[in-house]
Amino acid sequence: MANTTIQHLMNRLRKVAARDLIAIESFVAELVQTNAISVALERRVEKTDSCPICGEKRIQKWGKSNAGTQRFKCRDCGKTFGATNGTAFYRLRRRALWTRYLGLKGQHISLRDLQEKHGFKQSLSTLHRWRHRFLASLAKEPGDKLAGLIEADEKFFRTSFKGSRGWRDGNAPQQRKPRKRGGASQRGLGQEQVPTLTAIDRSGVIRQVRLPDLKWLTIAGELKSWVEPESVICSDGNLAYKTATIQSGCEHIVAKGRQGHNAAGLSIGRIDAYHRDVENLINRRCMGVSTRYLMNYFGWARRMKQHKPFGNECLWKCYCPNVSSDNLLFPASH
Ligand SMILES: [Zn+2]
C-alpha cells in the first residue's frame, strides 16, 4: 500500500470514536493473526520443499485460494495443493478465531460460555469438534522418554457413552440403562471399567495410555517403550512392572502401601496426586467424558499438570512439528 494511502487511513482513524476504535483494534488484531498463520503455513511448505503427493522436490507457487491460502504446484506430478495440507488448519475457516479459542482453552471455559460470554458464533457441535480436533493432535504428540526415578500405576475409569444416541435410537450401549454422569471408579475390571496405565518421572514427564486389557504383557509392553534404560521404576508388586523393568534394563522398587514408604523412602504419591487431578478434570470439570475421547482428555490433563499454556506455541508444536515458530511474530492471544 502506498504511504499516502496509509497516512490517509491513519488520519481518518484519528476521528473515530473511542468505542469504535476498540472494535477496529480487535478487527486488526485478528487480521494480523490470520496473516501470521498464513505466512507460517507457507514457510512450512517452502522449508520442506517437497510435494506431499509424490515427494519430489520441484514445487512452485501457484496463486492463492479464496481464503487467502497460498497454493503450490508440483512440477513433477502436476498436482496442486494448499499450504494447509496436512495441518489442522486444513479446511478450517476463521483461523484467527481458532487461536483465540485455544488461548481461552487453558482457562477451561465451557463451550456454552464461549458462545454466550466470548462472542463465538459457532454452534456447540462445531466448538466441540474444534476441541477434539485440537486435543486429538495433542494426545498423539509423542511424549518424552521417562528417566531417573519413575512412578507407575494403573488407574480405572468408568466407561461412558456421554453424547451417545444409542438410548434414543433403541440401541443402548452395553445393553444398560443410562446413568448419572461422572462418578468414581471402583477397582477391578468389569465391562464398566476402562483400565489405563500412567507413569511419571521427577522431571515432570508424564505418559498415560488407555489399555485394551490388564494382562501383564500388555502393561509391560507399554511401559518398557516409555523408559530410558538404567532408570528406577517404583510401583506396586504387579509382575508386569517387574517384567518391564528387566526387559528395559531398569531397576524395580516396590512401593509400600498407598500411604507408606519402603526402605528406600519411595512411594507412588506423585502418581496418586496426578490421578486425582485427572479425575477432577474428567469427572468434575467436564462432568464426565465419553470413553472414546478419554485419551484426548489425558493429553489435556498432562498439559495442565506441566503448566504449559494452550496457545500458538502449542499449536505449532502439534501441527507444524518441523517448523520453529520463533521467527514468527505472533500477537498474544486475547
Ligand atoms: Zn508431486
Side-chain angles (χ1 to χ4, degrees):
M1 201 188 287
N3 274 345
T4 49
T5 320
I6 294 172
Q7 201 56 52
H8 183 66
L9 207 56
M10 284 175 166
N11 284 339
R12 292 197 61 173
L13 279 175
R14 272 186 240 282
K15 291 169 196 150
V16 171
R19 225 192 120 120
D20 296 335
L21 266 184
I22 293 170
I24 293 171
E25 188 191 20
S26 67
F27 170 76
V28 172
E30 192 172 316
L31 270 188
V32 171
Q33 189 111 350
T34 307
N35 196 39
I37 291 171
S38 299
V39 170
L41 287 168
E42 197 180 318
R43 282 197 201 161
R44 174 185 150 273
V45 175
E46 283 168 354
K47 204 159 178 173
T48 51
D49 190 31
S50 58
C51 167
I53 299 135
C54 71
E56 285 301 324
K57 286 187 177 287
R58 291 178 63 209
I59 55 170
Q60 65 183 96
K61 284 194 180 175
W62 198 253
K64 289 201 176 178
S65 74
N66 290 340
T69 305
Q70 180 66 50
R71 293 196 61 81
F72 297 89
K73 182 173 181 170
C74 173
R75 277 184 276 180
D76 268 282
C77 68
K79 297 270 166 55
T80 60
F81 58 94
T84 55
N85 252 43
T87 73
F89 293 105
Y90 183 62
R91 291 196 173 164
L92 186 74
R93 303 166 102 186
R94 307 219 46 201
R95 285 164 204 160
L97 208 59
W98 208 50
T99 60
R100 190 164 154 248
Y101 171 86
L102 274 183
L104 290 166
K105 188 164 188 53
Q107 299 166 37
H108 198 92
I109 290 159
S110 73
L111 300 182
R112 210 170 282 282
D113 278 354
L114 285 178
Q115 286 180 326
E116 288 166 9
K117 297 180 185 158
H118 296 271
F120 282 83
K121 300 203 171 57
Q122 286 69 16
S123 67
L124 280 182
S125 68
T126 300
L127 292 173
H128 185 258
R129 213 173 51 243
W130 283 10
R131 168 182 281 185
H132 288 290
R133 182 177 188 141
F134 167 69
L135 283 180
S137 302
L138 197 65
K140 270 185 253 155
E141 197 182 358
D144 292 327
K145 286 249 178 183
L146 297 148
L149 187 56
I150 299 162
E151 295 177 21
D153 200 12
E154 316 100 76
K155 166 90 189 152
F156 294 91
F157 289 87
R158 254 169 97 166
T159 51
S160 163
F161 296 89
K162 186 176 175 179
S164 168
R165 293 180 187 177
W167 286 287
R168 198 192 61 184
D169 300 343
N171 181 26
Q174 292 183 347
Q175 309 300 317
R176 64 169 168 80
K177 289 197 171 119
R179 61 160 186 246
K180 208 168 153 46
R181 61 203 175 188
S185 66
Q186 292 154 347
R187 220 172 149 78
L189 185 58
Q191 206 190 9
E192 298 212 356
Q193 304 281 324
V194 186
T196 69
L197 174 70
T198 313
I200 185 166
D201 75 10
R202 298 277 153 123
S203 72
V205 178
I206 301 165
R207 302 290 291 259
Q208 186 171 22
V209 74
R210 181 182 163 185
L211 297 170
D213 55 62
L214 261 190
K215 292 179 183 138
W216 63 266
L217 265 173
T218 313
I219 298 177
E222 283 291 347
L223 188 60
K224 76 179 183 203
S225 70
W226 292 348
V227 300
E228 294 277 16
E230 295 175 31
S231 305
V232 176
I233 296 173
C234 186
S235 71
D236 61 28
N238 190 329
L239 179 66
Y241 298 112
K242 208 172 171 63
T243 312
T245 311
I246 295 166
Q247 290 180 348
S248 55
C250 295
E251 189 189 333
H252 187 224
I253 291 177
V254 177
K256 191 185 148 200
R258 289 266 128 190
Q259 310 301 328
H261 296 261
N262 58 13
L266 296 173
S267 72
I268 47 174
R270 273 166 196 255
I271 221 159
D272 285 342
Y274 178 64
H275 281 156
R276 279 195 295 276
D277 290 345
V278 179
E279 261 181 342
N280 207 16
L281 173 72
I282 288 176
N283 291 337
R284 296 206 183 146
R285 291 170 84 177
C286 295
M287 295 189 274
V289 305
S290 174
T291 299
R292 60 191 279 234
Y293 293 128
L294 202 53
M295 284 300 284
N296 290 0
Y297 286 91
F298 289 166
W300 188 349
R302 191 167 61 226
R303 193 153 189 103
M304 289 205 298
K305 184 75 174 181
Q306 291 166 339
H307 306 294
K308 288 189 193 161
F310 289 94
N312 288 321
E313 171 268 330
C314 178
L315 207 63
W316 293 115
K317 202 159 173 246
C318 290
Y319 300 120
C320 308
N322 304 319
V323 180
S324 154
S325 63
D326 299 346
N327 51 357
L328 298 166
L329 280 175
F330 278 109
S333 310
H334 55 271

